[in-house]
């Protein structure tokens, strides 16, 4: 097991699970949204460009995302495998990733496809809080921090993403169904897709994912 994609709608729990799985397996966690938000914090041109799309809940253009991710996976921590979170989101992104990995003699080993009903997704997105410093994710409805507004892990302040309003969230779900769901069939055809129920305790979902990854490396 080397390169894993977490596929699923916004709010499915990709970031939450990728963080744990990365810690437990040593795979590098590569999250396109996190990279854009870091670029914005650093005041780069890339960050500013991405923000204009993110604020509307639209996808950042393929060539911009692809360039950023292909550069990221050249870094040394990615050599022993990557867990992709939020990328690819279009067929063109998927094809570009496959080509780049193919050139390195590797490929996508598994796609974990997380499913969660839409009404739950909206609540998860609207209630999401993220730690400014360590990136831990909470939810005011489902998964509150012990001390309001503060991270359980490191004590830093929590913030709400500016694109996590109900209106933008609905837009992002529409974009997901229009542009990203074709990837389900794409990976199904390749035989690499495993569906994971994204509801239930975070630890239960992690367990199901690790089991799916394990069963693969046993083959
Ligand atoms: P994604 O990266 O897919 O957009 P996140 O991992 O950021 O999703 O999770 C979205 C929100 O849902 C966060 O507030 C997170 O705390 C919460 N969440 C994640 N997994 C679960 C779960 N299994 N049950 C309840 N809430 C969850
Ligand atoms: P979520 O999992 O809640 O959708 P992300 O952090 O993955 O949040 O993405 C936030 C925003 O960043 C997206 O709405 C989009 O504007 C941009 N983005 C992230 N990843 C991609 C991608 N692979 N392709 C295009 N846009 C992206
Ligand atoms: Zn923290």
């Amino acid at each position: 097991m080397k390169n894993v994609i977490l596929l699923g709608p916004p709010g499915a729990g990709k970031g939450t699970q990728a963080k744990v799985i990365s810690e437990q397996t040593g795979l590098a966690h590569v999250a396109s949204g996190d990279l854009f938000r870091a670029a914005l914090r650093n005041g780069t041109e890339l960050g500013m460009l991405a923000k204009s799309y993110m604020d509307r809940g639209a996808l950042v253009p393929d060539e911009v995302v692809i360039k950023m991710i292909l550069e990221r996976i050249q870094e040394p921590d990615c050599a022993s495998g990557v867990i992709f979170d939020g990328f690819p989101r279009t067929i063109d992104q998927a094809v570009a990733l496959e080509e780049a990995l193919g050139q390195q003699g590797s490929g996508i080993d598994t796609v974990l496809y997380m499913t969660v009903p839409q009404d739950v997704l909206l609540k998860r997105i609207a209630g999401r809080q993220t730690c400014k410093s360590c990136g831990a994710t909470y939810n005011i409805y489902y998964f509150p921090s012990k001390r309001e507004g503060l991270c359980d892990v490191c004590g830093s302040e929590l913030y709400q993403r500016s694109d996590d309003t109900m209106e933008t969230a609905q837009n992002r779900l529409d974009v997901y169904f229009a542009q990203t769901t074709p990837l389900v069939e794409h990976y199904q055809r390749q035989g690499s897709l495993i569906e994971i129920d994204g509801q239930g305790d975070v630890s239960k979902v992690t367990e199901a994912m690790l089991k799916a990854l394990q069963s693969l490396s046993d083959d």
Side-chain angles (χ1 to χ4, degrees):
M1 179 259 295
K2 272 191 113 193
N3 296 306
V4 178
I5 292 173
L6 292 195
L7 180 63
K14 301 183 298 297
T16 303
Q17 296 299 335
K19 198 166 192 284
V20 185
I21 292 172
S22 161
E23 282 159 9
Q24 298 204 6
T25 60
L27 296 174
H29 178 192
V30 172
S32 41
D34 289 351
L35 292 172
F36 287 135
R37 283 183 289 275
L40 184 63
R41 274 198 303 279
N42 294 331
T44 67
E45 223 171 283
L46 172 70
M48 250 91 88
L49 174 83
K51 183 179 162 52
S52 63
Y53 294 92
M54 292 167 90
D55 279 348
R56 288 183 279 129
L59 292 185
V60 176
D62 280 339
E63 60 273 20
V64 176
V65 191
I66 289 168
K67 181 168 179 288
M68 175 180 77
I69 294 291
L70 297 192
E71 278 171 16
R72 174 67 185 89
I73 63 176
Q74 295 310 316
E75 288 174 33
D77 65 315
C78 293
S80 53
V82 175
I83 180 155
F84 292 96
D85 160 12
F87 181 91
R89 264 172 150 98
T90 64
I91 293 283
D92 282 356
Q93 290 179 20
V95 170
L97 179 63
E98 279 152 34
E99 277 172 14
L101 293 175
Q103 279 166 15
Q104 302 174 358
S106 70
I108 298 299
D109 300 277
T110 313
V111 179
L112 299 177
Y113 170 45
M114 303 179 71
T115 55
V116 174
Q118 266 211 67
D119 53 330
V120 179
L121 290 173
L122 283 171
K123 214 167 155 186
R124 281 193 185 186
I125 296 170
R128 170 161 49 193
Q129 289 184 314
T130 310
C131 174
K132 273 186 178 155
S133 136
C134 76
T137 305
Y138 301 88
N139 193 285
I140 57 170
Y141 304 113
Y142 298 111
F143 194 51
S145 59
K146 293 196 178 72
R147 287 176 299 160
E148 201 185 317
L150 297 176
C151 178
D152 292 348
V153 182
C154 74
S156 302
E157 220 177 293
L158 304 180
Y159 75 99
Q160 187 179 32
R161 279 169 42 181
S162 59
D163 61 342
D164 277 349
T165 60
M166 270 295 175
E167 197 194 349
T168 312
Q170 185 58 57
N171 211 6
R172 283 157 57 204
L173 284 176
D174 293 345
V175 166
Y176 170 80
F177 286 110
Q179 302 194 54
T180 306
T181 49
L183 291 180
V184 173
E185 211 179 300
H186 177 81
Y187 290 119
Q188 230 157 19
R189 268 199 303 268
Q190 297 186 0
S192 51
L193 194 91
I194 301 176
E195 189 167 332
I196 303 281
D197 182 358
Q199 281 195 285
D201 284 354
V202 169
S203 60
K204 283 267 155 57
V205 180
T206 307
E207 210 176 290
M209 289 184 144
L210 289 172
K211 218 165 147 188
L213 296 177
Q214 188 62 44
S215 71
L216 245 107
S217 43
D218 288 346
D219 290 344

